[in-house]
Amino acid sequence: MGYIPLGAVFGFLFVQAGADGWLAVLASVVVFAGAAQYMMIPMIAAGTSVGAIALATLIVNLRHVFYGLSLLNKLPQGRLARWYLVFGLTDETYSVLTTLPAGTRDKQLVLIALLNQAWWVLGSLIGAVIGAQAQISLVGLDFALVALFCVLTVEQWRARKSAAPLWVALLAYAVAFLGSPRHALVIAIALSVVAALALDRASRVVPENQK
Amino acid sequence: MIDKSYAIGVIAAMGGVTFALRAVPFVAGLWLQKHPVVQRLGHFLPLAIMALLTVNSMVGMAATDPSGPWPEGLSGALVAMLQWRTRNALLSILLGTGVYVVLRNTHWLGA
């Protein structure tokens, strides 16, 4: 149910940016990825190329690769059910699935994902309808994207024992920003990958030396 | 007005990329699971990338804000604190965005 208002914010902002209401609904049916959909609004409003938006989607949703890895044996074997769940593996659905006991029935798993998407689509529709009524020229409504990213960061932080990735990321961003403000994000991601691999090596070398 | 065929192209591309990312583990999962590097990145990258996206979007907004970066920093800190305490994403996002809209439109913080 929590998806309805978040979907409504998406539908509202998308329509305010100048898109038809049914496009908001289509996006929520076809894409079904909250952060990426929020991110796309200013880009599509500015006429950014499809390729650049696809690349940004890749970066924003890269974490989903790792969600699937931890669920390999938990998803249903039936083809349709399995692939629908793969499609619907959002942050919310993932966090619900990880809390379920191992023997949960396939039907129930599919129902969870279907309901999540139903609320998301319904919310988008409601938001789009409201957004079509009146143009509100309030500066700063697009802070909703920053807020959503921030919420996801806090939840990722909570799920981890170590905050090291957070500090490494902030440091990497500072370094990247000094080097090239325009490409700071991509450079910082690359630096973070390198740091992750280097830290991994360091942590494996130490125990061997202590033997 | 946003062009319909352009918007549909964007939505199709985003849907394709998102589905491909979510499907990678189920196509190449056994191979990926065998590699410790992938595991390590799986522990590290999701938090690192989310933090980077947060900072990057804040910096982007601050650049369009004459009184930046104070409204961005303040509202961002509020969202993080609310989410940490309450775990209520809706509350955190609506309150944080509300405070930000007020700060931007009333110019309390300088300029």
Side-chain angles (χ1 to χ4, degrees), chain A residues 39 52-64 185-186 189, chain B residues 17 21 49-50 52-53:
Chain A
M39 170 214 72
I53 296 180
L55 181 66
T57 306
L58 185 82
I59 294 172
V60 171
N61 284 340
L62 192 61
R63 66 189 185 286
H64 289 159
L185 180 62
V186 175
I189 288 174
Chain B
V17 168
L21 286 171
I49 290 183
M50 263 352 282
L52 286 174
L53 288 169

Side-chain angles (χ1 to χ4, degrees), chain A residues 24-157:
Chain A
V25 175
L26 182 74
S28 291
V29 171
V30 174
V31 185
F32 191 28
Q37 283 179 238
Y38 275 45
M39 170 214 72
M40 150 270 260
I41 296 170
M43 297 184 86
I44 206 170
T48 313
S49 74
V50 175
I53 296 180
L55 181 66
T57 306
L58 185 82
I59 294 172
V60 171
N61 284 340
L62 192 61
R63 66 189 185 286
H64 289 159
V65 171
F66 303 108
Y67 290 179
L69 273 180
S70 65
L71 286 178
L72 274 185
N73 308 318
K74 225 172 177 177
L75 292 198
Q77 292 304 317
R79 272 201 156 173
L80 195 63
R82 188 176 179 87
W83 285 107
Y84 178 68
L85 272 166
V86 169
F87 164 79
L89 208 52
T90 61
D91 298 276
E92 175 72 14
T93 305
Y94 171 73
S95 63
V96 173
L97 291 187
T98 50
T99 59
L100 292 174
T104 309
R105 297 224 319 274
D106 291 2
K107 266 189 184 169
Q108 201 186 336
L109 298 177
V110 173
L111 195 66
I112 290 169
L114 261 177
L115 276 178
N116 271 343
Q117 183 163 24
W119 300 141
W120 177 245
V121 171
L122 180 64
S124 307
L125 177 66
I126 294 171
V129 169
I130 297 171
Q133 305 302 315
Q135 279 288 323
I136 298 174
S137 55
L138 262 185
V139 179
L141 279 177
D142 42 354
F143 191 79
L145 174 66
V146 181
L148 179 58
F149 281 156
C150 198
V151 161
L152 291 171
T153 305
V154 168
E155 290 311 318
Q156 292 282 353
W157 188 0

Side-chain angles (χ1 to χ4, degrees), chain A residues 18 20 48 87 153 155 173, chain B residues 2 4 6 22 54 56 83:
Chain A
D20 286 348
T48 313
F87 164 79
T153 305
E155 290 311 318
Y173 193 83
Chain B
I2 292 170
K4 286 180 193 61
Y6 162 63
R22 289 175 184 166
T54 307
N56 191 58
Q83 182 62 22

Side-chain angles (χ1 to χ4, degrees), chain B residues 10-86:
Chain B
V10 168
I11 290 169
M14 289 181 67
V17 168
T18 304
F19 180 70
L21 286 171
R22 289 175 184 166
V24 162
F26 299 92
V27 176
L30 294 177
W31 182 83
L32 287 171
Q33 270 185 334
K34 267 187 258 167
H35 288 70
V37 170
V38 175
Q39 301 244 337
R40 174 69 202 176
L41 289 179
H43 286 298
F44 196 94
L45 281 189
L47 173 55
I49 290 183
M50 263 352 282
L52 286 174
L53 288 169
T54 307
V55 176
N56 191 58
S57 58
M58 282 174 97
V59 168
M61 292 216 74
T64 67
D65 179 2
S67 50
W70 298 108
E72 290 75 20
L74 209 70
S75 312
L78 176 71
V79 173
M81 197 199 69
L82 280 172
Q83 182 62 22
W84 188 262
R85 291 271 178 90
T86 68

